[in-house]
Amino acid sequence: LEIEQEKKQALIDKENTLKALAEHKAIEEAERQAAIQKAKEFQSQLKGQIDYRNRISALDHEEEYRQQLRQYEAEADYQVKLRTALEQPPSKMHPAWKQYYQSGSAKKAY
């Protein structure tokens, strides 16, 4: 009789141990899945930050390029105006400057 009770108790203990083990495995699996999900979210956020930085950098480069183009255009306009001004002297000027323009020295300077 005592042996049968010990066997029953052993079976109950075994079942309890198997249940506890199953619960423990389920908890571990849930924690693992949570860690995987958290890592995926972090990776997604990091990718988003990298994409954002790349877009900002590209916009900065485009703005620098446009600014350079404006500077080149302004320089070209300035050169045209300077050349025109040197080739066509103003109507009112000192006689020495008139002689300078008439001699062709202004065209030789540029």
Side-chain angles (χ1 to χ4, degrees), residues 8-97:
K8 283 183 182 179
Q9 187 61 41
L11 284 174
I12 292 172
D13 289 345
K14 182 179 177 183
E15 287 177 9
N16 289 339
T17 303
L18 289 174
K19 281 182 186 177
L21 186 60
E23 288 175 8
H24 182 71
K25 284 184 178 182
I27 291 171
E28 281 184 344
E29 181 62 22
E31 288 174 352
R32 189 178 77 79
Q33 290 298 327
I36 288 171
Q37 185 61 34
K38 189 174 181 179
K40 285 180 181 180
E41 289 172 7
F42 178 76
Q43 187 177 24
S44 176
Q45 289 175 356
L46 187 59
K47 186 182 181 304
Q49 290 174 357
I50 291 170
D51 290 344
Y52 175 77
R53 269 193 248 143
N54 288 342
R55 285 193 311 271
I56 294 297
S57 178
L59 290 174
D60 287 344
H61 287 282
E62 289 175 13
E63 181 57 31
E64 287 175 16
Y65 178 73
R66 284 192 296 270
Q67 187 175 0
Q68 273 186 328
L69 284 179
R70 287 191 298 268
Q71 289 174 347
Y72 291 145
E73 290 170 358
E75 178 65 23
D77 289 344
Y78 171 78
Q79 291 297 328
V80 168
K81 289 177 183 178
L82 178 63
R83 196 172 304 114
T84 302
L86 290 174
E87 290 174 356
Q88 299 172 357
S91 58
K92 295 179 181 180
M93 73 169 65
H94 190 274
W97 282 111

